Amino acid sequence: MNILIDPLLFLQHLREMSGGLFDTFFTSCSFYAETVSFIALIAIFYWCINKKMGEYLIISFCFSNIIMVFFKNLTCIYRPWILDSRVKPVKDAIPGATGYSFPSGHSANATTLFGGLALRGKISKAAIILCIVCIILIVFSRLYCEVHSIVDVSGGILLSIITLIIMNKIFNKLEENPNLDIIISVIGLILMGLLMVFTVTKSYPMDYNAAGKLIVNPETMIPGSFGIYGIITSLLISWPIERHFINFSHEGTTEAKIIRYICGLIGIGIISQIIIPVIGFETIGQNFAGTFILGLFIMLIYPAIIKYFQNRSKSV
């Protein structure tokens, strides 16, 4: 049995039997683990529900993605449909399946968000079960859409769980040592810098398909990786600055929190749908700059705006 391909062929058979009835549903499940959507979900906790939980989820996201992208570019494992031409992925899922396959970034993000809530959120058993269901749906969607193998999604889940456990211990110590955030950020930024150097200096497979086209072109893959690097870098820089110099509160009335989140989402939408496309995606610098601005807005600029209005309301 080929553990990489056979399960996907089985799911493909079921998908064909159903006439693609569930294609849209599972493609939508994957959407919520994409970077911008994922960050928008975490922002609910960071801005409105539980700031400390939001910090834990965001920093866990940073470190799990550093490890995830390192292994992607280290192993250079191709997507399932490249490894075996019998695999026919869902077409709408292909645009979100760029670069190499192992480990699955969507699976890592889903586990970071919902696994982090289950581990540290002090939530009810029903909520924990709901978190597990969300992880299963997103992870299964990557298999159903045939853009990842079981090994890919298992790797994404495992690295995320390890990161969550380590970060949980670190954040417990953060309560006793508030300056530990600076050390964590510096370590993350050093790892990020090393990963950037590794990404641009290592050699990649130069395999061609039957049409004579590179299967994975490093000239397009490398700039794409820097999109992740930009947001991670800005989040790691912004985190200790916000904690020590801004220190906004997630508290407020329900109405205020709803307005706060809607305004924040509008900001995320403007940056991701207008500013980032204007900056462009062609070069390393463009990819890095666009997402750097997004991370800066989420972790530093918008919290400063929240703090400004909180101080203003107190003085009235």
Side-chain angles (χ1 to χ4, degrees), residues 8-302:
L8 299 181
L9 294 177
F10 174 73
L11 289 174
Q12 182 172 291
H13 176 66
L14 295 180
R15 196 177 83 227
E16 291 171 349
M17 287 180 61
S18 67
L21 180 63
F22 303 102
D23 288 10
T24 301
F25 172 75
F26 284 113
T27 302
S28 299
C29 288
S30 289
F31 169 79
Y32 291 103
E34 293 177 2
T35 300
V36 174
S37 305
F38 172 82
I39 290 296
L41 289 173
I42 288 181
I44 296 176
F45 296 91
Y46 183 57
W47 293 336
C48 305
I49 299 176
N50 187 324
K51 181 183 176 183
K52 291 182 180 180
M53 172 57 67
E55 291 176 337
Y56 169 66
L57 295 175
I58 288 171
I59 301 306
S60 295
F61 160 81
C62 290
F63 280 89
S64 67
N65 271 264
I66 288 173
I67 300 169
M68 182 269 295
V69 178
F70 169 72
F71 276 107
K72 273 187 182 289
N73 293 342
L74 175 69
T75 59
C76 297
I77 296 174
Y78 292 135
R79 297 282 174 171
W81 70 87
I82 297 172
L83 296 175
D84 194 312
S85 60
R86 293 176 296 171
V87 175
K88 308 296 181 185
V90 175
K91 290 184 178 179
D92 289 342
I94 294 177
T98 57
Y100 297 107
S101 193
F102 175 85
S104 165
H106 284 73
S107 300
N109 284 346
T111 306
T112 296
L113 174 57
F114 298 107
L117 289 175
L119 177 64
R120 196 175 174 85
K122 297 179 181 179
I123 55 179
S124 65
K125 290 183 178 180
I128 291 174
I129 292 173
L130 180 60
C131 287
I132 293 173
V133 169
C134 289
I135 293 173
I136 291 172
L137 284 174
I138 292 173
V139 169
F140 181 75
S141 74
R142 306 310 286 164
L143 299 173
Y144 176 90
C145 293
E146 299 185 69
V147 293
H148 280 294
S149 70
I150 290 178
V151 174
D152 297 336
V153 298
S154 299
I157 293 170
L158 181 61
L159 76 85
S160 183
I161 289 174
I162 293 172
T163 303
L164 287 171
I165 292 172
I166 294 173
M167 284 298 154
N168 186 51
K169 294 182 180 296
I170 291 174
F171 268 71
N172 287 337
K173 294 182 179 180
L174 186 62
E175 299 291 331
E176 303 170 0
N177 184 3
N179 291 326
L180 186 59
D181 58 354
I182 299 174
I183 297 174
I184 297 169
S185 291
V186 169
I187 291 173
L189 290 169
I190 290 172
L191 292 175
M192 190 73 264
L194 293 173
L195 179 57
M196 286 190 237
V197 173
F198 173 76
T199 301
V200 298
T201 58
K202 83 172 293 287
S203 59
Y204 295 93
M206 302 294 284
D207 299 317
Y208 295 82
N209 58 23
K213 183 179 179 181
L214 275 172
I215 293 175
V216 175
N217 188 347
E219 292 185 2
T220 57
M221 184 277 297
I222 292 174
S225 295
F226 274 75
I228 294 290
Y229 302 164
I231 193 168
I232 291 174
T233 301
S234 62
L235 291 173
L236 289 173
I237 290 173
S238 300
W239 181 43
I241 294 175
E242 192 289 321
R243 279 172 53 87
H244 292 276
F245 297 100
I246 299 174
N247 194 26
F248 83 99
S249 171
H250 67 265
E251 299 294 344
T253 64
T254 301
E255 293 80 5
K257 289 181 178 182
I258 292 173
I259 295 172
R260 183 189 305 166
Y261 188 63
I262 291 174
C263 291
L265 279 184
I266 292 172
I268 290 175
I270 291 172
I271 294 171
S272 61
Q273 300 301 316
I274 299 176
I275 296 177
I276 291 179
V278 167
I279 292 173
F281 305 95
E282 295 181 1
T283 67
I284 286 173
Q286 287 173 318
N287 279 273
F288 186 90
T291 55
F292 186 91
I293 293 171
L294 179 60
L296 209 64
F297 172 79
I298 291 166
M299 203 80 176
L300 191 61
I301 296 173
Y302 196 56

